Amino acid sequence: MSVGCVNFSDFKGYDEVRSERDHEYAAFLRSTRELQAAKISNDRGLILNSVVYNNQLWVVLADDVRSPGNLLPEDVKVGILSLSSFVLKYGFRVLVEEASVDVLIDINKAMMRGVGR
């Protein structure tokens, strides 16, 4: 992550103090910002790239939820897997039919609120 011309990941030990929740939040923040920037630019290439990144994020999230070491309650896991399925299907709609990215942005923002900071 960088603010201005400062790249915080360049500081030794920075990554070691970040929690899993911090990493998840940062990933959703990056994806959401990319989707928002793509929407504003209305550049089809940027839209495609941002949706592909968002889909990759949700695949990783679904894979993590399904891993044996995941300690989330079963109902939360099922909810995240269901939401992941929806996001991926909707993301492909955006890629194929040029549907709006607004739904993906809203879902990511909700996830960021859930992950909290």
Side-chain angles (χ1 to χ4, degrees):
M1 176 194 302
S2 64
V3 175
C5 49
V6 176
N7 186 347
F8 289 103
S9 62
D10 289 341
F11 291 96
K12 290 185 180 189
Y14 172 75
D15 226 28
E16 294 168 13
V17 297
R18 291 180 73 180
S19 71
E20 280 299 312
R21 292 179 80 112
D22 290 336
H23 286 288
E24 291 168 357
Y25 187 92
F28 276 107
L29 181 61
R30 174 184 169 191
S31 184
T32 303
R33 285 182 175 167
E34 287 184 12
L35 289 165
Q36 290 170 325
K39 176 186 173 189
I40 291 168
S41 74
N42 202 28
D43 179 303
R44 190 72 185 141
L46 289 177
I47 292 170
L48 295 175
N49 287 338
S50 67
V51 170
V52 167
Y53 178 81
N54 193 64
N55 283 355
Q56 291 170 340
L57 171 61
W58 279 91
V59 166
V60 168
L61 182 64
D63 189 50
D64 180 63
V65 166
R66 289 189 348 258
S67 71
N70 189 296
L71 301 176
L72 289 173
E74 283 303 311
D75 61 329
V76 174
K77 290 180 185 181
V78 169
I80 290 173
L81 288 171
S82 177
L83 191 54
S84 178
S85 176
F86 173 82
V87 166
L88 294 173
K89 288 176 187 174
Y90 191 86
F92 286 116
R93 261 189 70 204
V94 173
L95 294 176
V96 174
E97 301 172 15
E98 299 186 31
S100 170
V101 297
D102 289 334
V103 171
L104 300 175
I105 292 169
D106 290 343
I107 291 170
N108 283 3
K109 285 181 177 181
M111 288 297 291
M112 289 166 56
R113 284 189 300 274
V115 169
R117 279 191 30 125

